[in-house]
Amino acid sequence: MKSQYKDFLIRDWQIKDRTVAAELIHSVLSEYGLGWEPKGADRDVLQVEECYLHNGGEFWVIEHQKELVGTAAYYPIKRGKNSVEIRKMYLLPQARGCGLGKYLLQQLEAAIISRGFEEIWIETASILAEAVKLYEGYGYKPAAGVETERCDRVYLKSFNSIY
């Protein structure tokens, strides 16, 4: 993946991004009063190769003026039918409010559909109000079965019924 949105560069994660991406996610979680779980829910950002790249997923980073300002990722999951879960979609405050989140979600969906997946699952927390509004505005429907401790919402979007 390599894409441009305004003056943001969206590209594939590289090994050199590991620490900065983890610090970015930790920062956004802290901003909303959510805990960083390096041995739990956030293990995947520390083990991108194992959790995403070797598992049929993708992990992207977003740069602005050569600084990382966001992340977005997905990987196949066993839940549902031919499904993936969008994960680690986080933007620093300076990257918010310009349509980048919408663009990222659209790019993730396009990549997922192009690879033949039929369902997208997303877990989030109600406190992440901007994320909840974005997902609901793009047709994600509330579902049951939250699996991540810090999350209290799960959403599902099925593409076999749209196309």
Side-chain angles (χ1 to χ4, degrees):
M1 158 54 108
K2 192 163 188 180
S3 175
Q4 195 80 28
Y5 177 78
K6 297 184 179 179
D7 54 351
F8 295 96
L9 172 68
I10 298 109
R11 64 169 175 79
D12 288 324
W13 178 91
Q14 300 169 5
I15 291 172
K16 67 177 181 154
D17 299 320
R18 188 181 324 273
T19 302
V20 179
E23 289 169 353
L24 182 151
I25 292 167
H26 186 196
S27 170
V28 174
L29 289 169
S30 296
E31 175 188 349
Y32 287 91
L34 298 170
W36 166 251
E37 301 173 17
K39 292 185 183 344
D42 300 307
R43 179 184 70 86
D44 58 336
V45 76
L46 301 172
Q47 299 175 351
V48 169
E49 300 90 340
E50 175 189 332
C51 296
Y52 293 91
L53 308 183
H54 300 156
N55 192 26
E58 294 186 76
F59 196 106
W60 304 338
V61 295
I62 298 90
E63 288 184 6
H64 182 255
Q65 299 175 347
K66 301 202 185 289
E67 300 275 332
L68 283 194
V69 296
T71 60
Y74 70 89
Y75 57 50
I77 58 172
K78 296 193 182 345
R79 177 193 306 199
K81 180 183 176 193
N82 193 18
S83 303
V84 298
E85 182 177 351
I86 289 178
R87 295 185 49 84
K88 303 304 181 227
M89 195 163 143
Y90 293 107
L91 297 173
L92 290 177
Q94 64 265 33
R96 297 180 200 149
C98 65
L100 180 58
K102 291 176 187 172
Y103 179 80
L104 281 171
L105 187 58
Q106 291 167 346
Q107 294 301 302
L108 286 164
E109 287 183 355
I112 289 163
I113 291 167
S114 75
R115 295 181 69 192
F117 292 103
E118 297 176 53
E119 290 182 352
I120 299 174
W121 293 78
I122 300 175
E123 290 192 9
T124 193
S126 294
I127 191 133
L128 299 171
E130 300 95 331
V132 168
K133 184 178 175 187
L134 175 65
Y135 302 143
E136 290 178 353
Y138 273 82
Y140 288 81
K141 302 294 181 205
V146 174
E147 296 176 350
T148 306
E149 200 172 305
R150 70 172 170 237
C151 295
D152 63 355
R153 292 176 180 245
V154 62
Y155 290 95
L156 170 64
K157 187 171 187 179
S158 178
F159 289 96
N160 54 1
S161 61
I162 296 173
Y163 298 102

